[in-house]
Amino acid sequence: MNKHNMTTEKGIPSNSRVLMFGQLEKLNRESMLVDPEIARQITAKVLHLIQTQEKTRKEIMSKGSSGMEVILATLENTQDLQTILNILYILNELLTVGGGRRIGVFVSKGGTGILLQLVIRASKESPPSEEFMLQLHSVLAKVGPKDRKFGVKARLNGALNVTVNLLKQNLQNHKLLLPCLLVLQVYSSNTVNAVSLGKNGVVELMFKIIGPYSKKNTSLLKVSLDTLGALLKSKTNAQRAVVHVPVLLYIYQDWHRNDTRHRHILIRKGILGCLKNITNIKLGRKAFIDADGMRILYNTSNECLPVRTLDPLINTSSLIMRKCFPKNRLPLSTIKSVFHHQLLRVPAGGPVAQLYNQPLGGGPIYQFYTKPPWVDDVVDESDNNEDAEAETDTENEMEEKDRHAGNDDVETDINKLRPKETHSRLFEELKIYERFFMELSEDFQVFNFDNPKRGVTAIPAAPKSHCPIIVPTTQAMPPKTPTAAPLQRECPHPAPVPALDLDTINITKDQDGCGDHTHSRSHPGAGLEQELVQGLERVALDGAGPQGGGGVNKHNRQPPILAGGVAARLGGEGEEMSAEDWAEEEESGEGAVLHVPDTALLLPLHDPDLYVEMVKSTRSVPQFSEVAYPDYFGHVAPTSREHILERVYGVQRTKIFQDIERLIHPNDILDKVVYDLDIQSCTVVDGGESLKFNSQFESGNLRKAVQVRKFEYDLVLNSDINSNHYHQWFYFEVSGMCVGAPYRFNIINCEKSNSQFNYGMQVLMYSVQEAISGRPRWVRTGTDICYYKNHFSRSSIAAGGQKGKSYYTMTFSMTFNHKDDVCYFAYHYPYTYTTLKMHLQKLEALRTPQTYLREDVLCETLGGNSCPLLTITAMPESTSNDQICQFRNRPLVFLSSRVHPGETNASWVMKGTLEFLMGSSPLAHSLREAYIFKIVPMLNPDGVVNGNHRCSLSGEDLNRQWQNPSPELHPTIYHTKSLLQYLAAIQRAPLVFCDYHGHSRKKNVFMYGCSLKETVWETNISATSCELHEDLGYRTLPKILSQMAPAFSMASCSFVVERSKEATARVVVWREIGVQRSYTMESTLCGCDQGKYKGLQIGTRELEEMGAQFCVALLRLKRLTSPLKLRNHAHLLDVESDLMETRCKVSSNPSTYLLEDEEASFMEEVDYSAESGDEPDNDPNTADNHLSESNNHRDSLT
Ligand SMILES: [Zn+2]
């Protein structure tokens, strides 16, 4: 600032300003103001200066200036109207510019209160001075929005009614009306005020001001609408406005028609805002429907679609329409699972007792929970429930609460965080588990070390037992019969079907486990494969038939040349072909031939013949008699990268509008059931107008398909067996498609509130035509994918007494490339129980003489499947004492996976682990020499077989049963825990326990562990009040993984013990077995947002790699945990600093440990932003990657 420039444009020296303020101040101080003329003159001069000089304005508002105090004091003290007016003019000038800062100063000096008192004072004069009120309200309108307490202050001062009365008396006085309305709008934002103003007739008053299209007084109209919108947030006010819904709709249409240049979008938005709040109540929704609101908003929105700036209107319209869309029941008679497995004992109060009204024993609790059989669990009564509407009102608050729920879940009971001394099991009782630990007592006396080949077959291979180990705890159960579990419904085709279904491979169900078995063995491929060949020929020949004139895929019309059928595969010496070769050959045009994929070259663990053998002993509740092609052919991971899909703008909106059209144009809807498991004839034969669906194969779970429009289908998933929910996993088959048609599929009974399908995840598809063309693979596919709350809901009874819950739609679009194709869709890469059995058998064949591998049957499941337990380590080098001693004393590593059937990725990670462990690399050998591995690769075979997402046949989540597993209801958990208890009892608790899972909400791979300290830090327990001694070793393994595995993210790991997790494997093994390194390893179902795979969806290759890297990490852990090495690796194990760093991250991001299987809170209503704040962006740590590479190198040299 130029200090020499002391004069202004008017030539008044600045010291005269100082003088005038000095005079004002003096007058105030002396409380005189006796001569109003002096004050009048001074304030008039100040006003003049302020109007003409920016400098004066700045000076008054500058820091350290007492200008504002002087002005306010004068305002408070003077009784002279002209002086007050002068000051109000001054304030209007001052507060118009300078943004919030000047108003902030004004508010902080008590300005609001003084103005409100003036309002009261002025109201007592009759009639009140119009100019006075105008100026006063103009200042208030500026101050109000910036003063958070404005509404309360106004009410306490009694100013509300003054403004309202002023309005009522001046409805034609537009000059005065505007500032009053602006003030009223601020009043109304306070909920208490809104109710009080409503009682005073303000809602009606607003309806007098608003009206149809006019070029005049648009600002008045806008403010009235915003005020009305604020008032209507109160339910009583909304009720008052219900009668005006037709008016609002009429006005909206009028503005929509006439505001052709879109100059008044805010007015239109204001009208919608009012409708939005009125439709929060049931009466409002009814009035909206009655007034044809759906059609009006649908049509206006469609007309707005081409103009991007009108998006806010479309979004609000869409929100209102979705809210008013009548809630529907699912097209089912009951939401209970189609299939029921009769439990031998139904525990009272358990989920099955609650769900099925069974005439079994049970106390009062059982009766309380059991609902009468006549109650329809599908019908939705949420519209009768006004409480449900409160949700919409408080959605933001709920979201806010949700966000902090993670913290509420942290265990605060310090006793529950300390090791639990369990004496519940006597050692005598556990002793029977000794037989699963033969390696701990093995002396190898009969083992021939000179000729290990002979020795191997003599010892480690032999113990593979095919019978379940019967332990006393299960003796109470009646002997298992070889027949499948009792069924409620008969399967239409329990016996072999003579004519092969085009779409599926039918297998001979070997009920007693012999007979055909040996037959197939001796003549591989004789029966089934002959049928398959026929089936494939039909696939191709159909294409050449009369309907095959499309010519889209010429090669499909060639009769397939299946050299020797499926059994005689390609792959003799010199004939090896990669998938790329096949692809090339396929493109060579005329004369190209079809080859059945020979996955043996690329998939060493896959064998179609063996698969069919294995599937015969797999027991399913629906008694599946078919095998899905993908499981038979196998899956070769594609070589191309599959990027996380970028969400197209407006996808959700378009999909929702298509849904709303169902209501607007009901005649366009076909509503044709094309697949229904609930009725006996499972498939509907059709003249080619509809797709054909099927999912009656292992892990399949489609319940119903309804053709909605020509190319659109609603799909309903089956519930987990013995339950009425858990819909997320899906696996089904589609055929009969038209090439190039834009199909839309909607899975309409999803339950999670959000899904990675909103953040770039695609569904998986397997095309049989692609497979026989040499590309047997699951590929990420689908466009226009999104996930949103739909108009279906279930009854509160079905929802367990809670309010009726809405379902969600997962929708994707798809164009098929091949005619006469059979395609499969899945939530994630399928991995069936039969696949596991096949892989285990093939792995055994990979065993080298140095490998010790034993496969035991831990127990039988409720469904009659066996649960395998593997023991893998290295054979001792000799029978010398030292060697045997080293062998027996190797630390144990205990791994498990697939307790949740829908998390198939966990099985792929486990496959990677098993393949690595059984491999011939020096690294694998070192690993086997370092540890004894105990592995339960599938904790929930029944769930996997039957297409469940979450539960076992007991209708329960097995990973919530670890505290007190029942040998009858949760045998796999009971016996796995017993194995661990046995180990603890003999002082051989494992060094590491890890249970592999899949995560549907987050990206990357990460771990959950258990730490007393980190849990306490998250709570309000003072860490100093309890002495905490904790070894930080639990961080080592995840830290190593983050340094070497590209998909692994340390930032996503959490070591906090949550209350909701106290019965999970991780927490129970930590607390009861005393395993410090007890983990859940979560792999994303979607993809990665950091590291080498950033931006890519995860595939089986990456998952298997993760499983292998887990092994390598264990090897490094071994070195690091050896005391001598520890010091040298201090840099790697800089745990303390790392811990603090993570702690900071964790505190700022409580969602880190939301329930591992819970989706993020999601503002569903309209969300077009793909990734907004969903997951924290983790910068790829290049340093770590570098380290990783060098370390890998070092490892491979060792
Ligand atoms: Zn899980």
Side-chain angles (χ1 to χ4, degrees), residues 818-829:
H818 304 297
K819 191 166 164 38
D820 300 311
D821 202 354
V822 178
C823 290
Y824 293 80
F825 290 99
Y827 178 64
H828 198 74
Y829 301 89

Side-chain angles (χ1 to χ4, degrees), residues 42-52 85-86 89-90 93:
I42 298 172
T43 49
K45 276 183 192 165
V46 173
L47 174 64
H48 175 75
L49 288 174
I50 278 172
Q51 281 169 334
T52 52
L85 267 175
N86 284 346
Y89 293 134
I90 291 171
E93 287 288 338

Side-chain angles (χ1 to χ4, degrees), residues 259-293:
D259 182 24
T260 47
R261 303 176 72 176
H262 311 307
R263 289 194 171 152
H264 303 290
I265 296 176
L266 289 177
I267 288 180
R268 291 152 75 181
K269 195 169 190 315
I271 304 171
L272 290 178
C274 294
L275 283 168
K276 183 180 133 202
N277 289 341
I278 298 176
T279 50
N280 278 341
I281 63 167
K282 188 186 165 191
L283 279 174
R285 290 194 292 272
K286 187 177 178 300
F288 178 83
I289 296 279
D290 291 348
D292 207 16

Side-chain angles (χ1 to χ4, degrees), residues 900 903 997 1156-1157:
H900 294 141
E903 298 165 6
H997 283 251
E1156 71 195 53
D1157 310 292

Side-chain angles (χ1 to χ4, degrees), residues 1108-1135:
Q1109 277 158 340
F1110 183 84
C1111 295
V1112 180
L1114 285 172
L1115 198 58
R1116 201 173 297 169
L1117 177 75
K1118 171 78 179 174
R1119 296 198 195 108
L1120 292 174
T1121 48
S1122 91
L1124 284 173
K1125 300 279 178 88
L1126 194 56
R1127 200 170 298 170
N1128 300 334
H1129 287 273
H1131 65 285
L1132 180 70
L1133 278 179
D1134 196 2
V1135 265

Side-chain angles (χ1 to χ4, degrees), residues 795-804:
S795 73
S796 56
I797 290 159
Q802 308 155 5
K803 282 171 290 192

